[in-house]
Amino acid sequence: MPDLDTLLVAVGGGGLIGGIASWYQGKIKIIGVEPEFAPTLTKALEAGRPVDAEAGGIAADSLAPRRVGELMFPIAQRFVDHVLLVSDDEIRDAQEKLWGAARVAAEPGGAAGLAALTSGKYVPAKGERMGVLICGGNTIAVDFLR
């Protein structure tokens, strides 16, 4: 998406946001989004290095490692603009909105980026061209074995 100004990306261990941030290398604003109960990158940025963080909440299966990766951390320090924290309720609400508006069945971790937008934790500037990455594969909303 060459015309983006900002991209919201869910953060777990940091591989996905690290890869995206490496690709854009500061050309757009990359904003990480983490569950309040799994603030791994937030804690690492505060400490200046990867550290253990709490690992719980609704998105724990995909966004709650004990710490972010050592290799991605310098990339995040350099190219991730900042990180926002969203609540479990905000994540659930984003999941419902994705399903209601687009029939996208996203796992909680996959809906975290949208939660930052729909909750008002991120408010785009007028005219800002932004994207929200919907990711993950841990949903059981569809039973393909039937």
Side-chain angles (χ1 to χ4, degrees):
M1 298 299 303
D3 295 331
L4 285 179
D5 297 313
T6 303
L7 182 61
L8 299 175
V9 182
V11 179
L16 179 61
I17 197 168
I20 290 169
S22 292
W23 173 259
Y24 282 107
Q25 294 190 4
K27 294 179 183 91
I28 69 170
K29 187 168 31 172
I30 303 293
I31 298 174
V33 182
E34 294 182 302
E36 292 173 340
F37 295 122
T40 54
L41 183 55
T42 298
K43 295 288 186 182
L45 290 169
E46 289 171 356
R49 61 184 172 74
V51 294
D52 286 348
E54 47 281 24
I58 188 174
D61 59 347
S62 62
L63 297 182
R66 294 300 295 166
R67 65 173 52 205
V68 294
E70 298 281 339
L71 295 176
M72 71 71 60
F73 184 68
I75 296 166
Q77 285 181 301
R78 184 168 177 196
F79 296 123
V80 174
D81 188 74
H82 64 280
V83 182
L84 301 170
L85 298 175
V86 293
S87 72
D88 282 358
D89 288 341
E90 291 164 341
I91 292 170
R92 280 188 201 95
D93 181 64
Q95 282 182 287
E96 290 174 17
K97 284 180 169 54
L98 277 169
W99 180 253
R103 288 298 186 248
V104 171
E107 68 165 285
L114 183 62
L117 190 61
T118 59
S119 69
K121 298 267 173 86
Y122 186 79
V123 178
K126 184 174 179 158
E128 181 177 359
R129 298 165 301 178
M130 60 170 312
V132 178
L133 183 68
I134 309 299
C135 59
N138 295 331
T139 184
I140 57 169
V142 179
D143 182 359
F144 292 106
L145 299 177
R146 289 193 293 160

